[in-house]
Amino acid sequence: VDGESTTKISGVVDMEAFLEGSLGAIPELAGLGDAGFDGAEAFGDTRAVFYISDSTYLPVRALVDLPIDVLGEEVVLHMDFAYTSFNKRLTFPNVR
């Protein structure tokens, strides 16, 4: 990627199980029972691909496809990340 040697890691995440398991570990949500996890059913299996730098072991690219059920229709949120620098100061223009 951009002339840098990388390793590709890809897989599929069962988002419903992941969210139920993750949120179940939060004590404040554990008391809600099944009602606290109704939203997890809206998420489908998520495909993720990461390209990791062989020299720094930092991610340089990531692709994620997250299917979401919205009112009975499936919408796929496609995220494509490109990391071009790390630990560098960011400057923002003064916009008013």
Side-chain angles (χ1 to χ4, degrees), residues 15-87:
M15 286 303 289
E16 182 178 352
F18 173 76
L19 290 172
E20 287 176 352
S22 300
L23 296 176
I26 300 172
E28 290 79 11
L29 296 177
L32 295 176
D34 291 336
F37 306 114
D38 287 345
E41 296 173 2
F43 296 96
D45 290 348
T46 299
R47 181 173 182 269
V49 180
F50 294 93
Y51 294 90
I52 309 297
S53 167
D54 289 342
S55 61
T56 65
Y57 306 108
L58 295 171
V60 292
R61 297 285 188 271
L63 307 165
V64 178
D65 290 322
L66 173 62
I68 305 169
D69 184 300
V70 179
L71 301 173
E73 295 290 326
E74 182 179 88
V75 175
V76 178
L77 178 61
H78 175 77
M79 296 170 275
D80 186 352
F81 300 95
Y83 303 101
T84 56
S85 63
F86 296 90
N87 297 324

